[in-house]
Structure formats: C-alpha cells, structure tokens
Amino acid sequence: MTRPLRVALLPGDGVGPEVIAEARRVLEATGVALELEELPWGSAFWREHGRMMPEDALEIVRGFDAVLLGAVGDASLPDDVTLWGLLLELRQGLDLWANVRPARLLPGIPCPLAGRGPDDVDMLFIRENTEGEYSGVGGRAHRGTSAEVAIEASVFTRAGCDRVVRYAFEHARERRGVLTSATKSNASRYGYTLWDEVVRAAAADFPEVRVEHVLVDALCARMVLDPASIDVVVASNLFGDVLTDVAAALQGGLGVAASANVAPDSGTPGLFEPVHGSAPDIAGQGVANPTGAIWSTALLLEHTGHADAAARVMSALESAARHGPKTRDVGGEASTREVGEAVAARVADAT
Ligand code: ATP
C-alpha cells in the first residue's frame, strides 16, 4: 500500500480558515489517502506566544509532504511581523525558490477586459521566490531625523537565477514553447543584467523554446492589451509579485488565483496558498471565494504525484465556474461553503 499523503493545513488569519475548510473538504473528496494535521499558527498564535509560529516550525513542516496555507495578516499587527514571521520565513527557511502561479480565466468567470475570454487568458508565471528585491538585506540609519537613510539591497546570485530560469524553460517546453523573461535591465545595471545573461546561457539548452526579453512595464501593458500573446513568464521576486496581481485581476480577481511555492527535485515540502490575503473586509461573513484555495489544492496534488486527482479537482472547479454555484466576487450569490460542497461533490462523483 502506498503511504498516505501527509499535508499540514495552516489556515492562518481572516478568511484563511474559511477557505481552507473548503479546500480540505475537496482534498478529502479526491479519495487520495491522506494524513491531515492543522497547525494553529498565525496572528492568534502571535498574541499568545509573541511569535507567528513555534521556534521549531521549519522542522515540524519538514515532516510533511506539503503545506496548505490560507492567509496571514492582521490589521492590528504590522505586515512585516506577519509576513516575515510566517510566510517569508517558510519560503526562505525551506528555500522554496520557485513560486508558480497559473493565471487562467475559467469559462464562466467574468474577465475585466471587454471582449476577452478564456482563450485570451492562459498564462503561467514562474517567480523567483527567495532572493532579488525581497532578500531582506539593508538597513536604516538616523531614524526619525531629516537625515534618515534607508537602504534596501536586491540580491541576485547566478545560481539563484539559473535554477528558476531553467525551471521556467522546462514549463515553456511543455506548453507553447515561448518563454517571456521580464526585467528592467535598461534602468538597473547589475542584478537584471546578470538575470538576462543567465537566461541567454540557459536558452542554449532549450533550443525548442523561443525566448523574449521584455521590460516589466511594457509587459504590464501587453498583459492588458494582448494577453493571448503571453504564455510562460519568468520574473524576479518583486516583478513576479506585481505581474501576478495583474494576472489575478485578468483571471477574475484575487479570490480565484492560486500559487505553489516549491523547491523542485529537493524533497522539501512545498507550500501551496491562494494568492489573496486575509481579506479582513469580508472575514467571518462566509462569502470569501474558496476557488484560489481549492485551485492551490490541485497544485499541491499535482506537485506531490497525484496528477489524476489534481485534474479531477480542476474539472470540478471549471464546472462550478461555468454552471455555479459562485461567490459574489465572481458574479454569484453563493456562500464559501456552498461552493466548497459543490466542488467536493463533483470531485467525489468523478472519483
Ligand atoms: P492582507 O493584508 O492580509 O493582504 P488585504 O485586504 O490587504 O489583506 P486581500 O486580503 O488580498 O488584501 O484583499 C484584497 C481585496 O480582495 C479585498 O477587498 C478582499 O475582500 C478581496 N478578496 C481577497 N480574497 C478574497 C476571496 N477569497 N474572495 C473574495 N474576495 C476576496
């Protein structure tokens, strides 16, 4: 008998617990043998213990095959406490160097671009996830005075660029054979230039992939004007972050978008999470869209060797997007739970 898939559920803050409850329901409907454990980390944990997660959190997480995270963030705590104390700590501590975000418009979900539909929006973003502009290197001096200085350094390493760029090439080869690399190397002279060189060098090993180097601002415009011309995009930490929020809008909003944080071929558990945050404005109302969390569950299944189950979850999500029920952010009236139950029922039917 195969070993059960060990998944840590980390519901976190705000709408996190609401969407993770539905993701769990769907995961359990797949019939995949599971061992699930909830980790009560996040802002409530911080209030009790003065930290977002226990000291040995990385060790605990390494005991699982994957982590499914809801959201972190709390209006009463500074973002750098919640973000650096949990999400960035996990990404960097586990060296989850690739952030994978599919941006596909599911049929039935309204697109904000007039006249565009699912045929126009089907992109895959691979974002560098541990260095670049979010390395956390820098400092401040002369705080609070008129002479105050803040320095935030971007750190680009050849090895760090190379692994994520090659991973993106592999995806481009599997899809349409086109890779778009987004930088700003006309204005920044060092980090993005190294990135460009690494892309050119790696391209030699992927002759079947056509590469285009596009400045990030021009790419933002193209995503709006001609999204169908874009397939796989590889970008640094900051640029990937910004581009994928634009992409999330194109695919129906933050409630729909999913992501995977992975360290391919390392054996390290991946961290899977919806792109949205804790959404305090709708938390506790039972109206959050669980699609992003459920889609993240499909990514989790795909990355842990359960491609069939992942495909069943995606086709159930597609069916719910097309025929309902849908939450109000995507034009419906259903509750978080109604969507979760409907998707889980379709997954169970297909199992
Ligand atoms: P945080 O500080 O945790 O990132 P935030 O409010 O700044 O919180 P989000 O939580 O991503 O950022 O929310 C941005 C907007 O998107 C809010 O109006 C929120 O209601 C909406 N939103 C986020 N997630 C969902 C969801 N799952 N379903 C519906 N709407 C959502």
Side-chain angles (χ1 to χ4, degrees):
M1 214 183 89
T2 51
R3 191 173 68 80
L5 182 65
R6 298 202 66 218
V7 179
L9 301 169
L10 212 169
D13 304 327
V15 295
E18 298 169 45
V19 297
I20 290 302
E22 302 316 316
R24 175 181 193 148
R25 194 190 302 283
V26 172
L27 191 55
E28 287 175 334
T30 60
V32 171
L34 298 167
E35 250 179 62
L36 303 179
E37 190 177 324
E38 288 219 1
L39 305 175
W41 304 344
S43 301
F45 190 92
W46 188 89
R47 280 196 194 87
E48 212 173 308
H49 304 279
R51 40 188 311 135
M52 294 292 286
M53 44 185 200
E55 243 168 278
D56 57 347
L58 293 177
E59 225 169 286
I60 294 172
V61 162
R62 281 184 204 281
F64 293 90
D65 297 311
V67 182
L68 186 60
L69 170 75
V72 272
D74 186 305
S76 63
L77 295 175
D79 276 350
D80 65 328
V81 167
T82 53
L83 210 58
W84 279 99
L86 198 147
L87 189 56
L88 296 179
E89 171 77 19
L90 287 175
R91 282 183 186 165
Q92 297 205 343
L94 295 171
D95 194 25
L96 301 174
W97 48 266
N99 186 282
V100 183
R101 293 192 185 182
R104 179 157 71 89
L105 180 66
L106 303 181
I109 301 290
C111 181
L113 301 178
R116 305 281 185 187
D119 289 345
D120 298 292
V121 181
D122 184 3
M123 302 172 243
L124 181 71
F125 288 80
I126 311 283
R127 162 185 166 192
E128 201 293 317
N129 214 25
T130 47
E131 53 175 51
E133 307 87 342
Y134 295 172
S135 299
V137 175
R140 283 170 75 168
H142 314 303
R143 274 181 190 258
T145 72
S146 58
E148 182 160 3
V149 181
I151 294 177
E152 182 102 35
S154 294
V155 177
F156 288 86
T157 65
R158 183 174 284 278
C161 298
D162 188 64
R163 61 187 182 179
V164 76
V165 160
R166 285 179 184 275
Y167 187 58
F169 266 107
E170 285 164 16
H171 281 278
R173 185 167 58 190
E174 298 291 306
R175 289 174 53 113
R176 283 195 251 152
V178 184
L179 178 64
T180 302
S181 167
T183 60
K184 190 66 188 164
S185 36
N186 58 343
S188 285
R189 292 157 60 183
Y190 307 111
Y192 301 129
T193 316
L194 171 62
W195 176 285
D196 285 346
E197 285 172 20
V198 168
V199 172
R200 287 199 185 90
D205 294 332
F206 297 88
E208 60 281 74
V209 177
R210 179 169 67 80
V211 186
E212 39 169 37
H213 296 261
V214 181
L215 296 176
V216 66
D217 36 9
L219 188 60
C220 284
R222 204 168 120 196
M223 284 172 70
V224 173
L225 297 172
D226 188 13
S229 71
I230 303 164
D231 192 42
V232 179
V233 176
V234 64
S236 65
N237 216 333
L238 166 66
F239 291 161
D241 193 2
V242 175
L243 290 169
T244 52
D245 261 32
V246 180
L250 297 181
Q251 70 177 134
L254 281 172
V256 178
S259 75
N261 301 276
V262 289
D265 306 322
S266 67
T268 307
L271 174 69
F272 301 82
E273 47 164 343
V275 170
H276 63 77
S278 60
D281 53 333
I282 56 166
Q285 297 174 24
V287 295
N289 191 343
T291 302
I294 297 172
W295 196 328
S296 302
T297 308
L299 294 177
L300 183 157
L301 289 164
E302 200 179 304
H303 282 266
T304 51
H306 298 277
D308 287 355
R312 271 184 278 124
V313 171
M314 282 317 295
S315 81
L317 266 186
E318 277 164 34
S319 163
R322 205 187 280 267
H323 307 292
K326 288 190 260 193
T327 46
R328 67 186 189 197
D329 57 309
V330 285
E333 291 177 348
S335 68
T336 310
R337 187 179 177 138
E338 282 164 344
V339 175
E341 285 177 345
V343 174
R346 285 170 180 143
V347 169
D349 279 350
T351 299

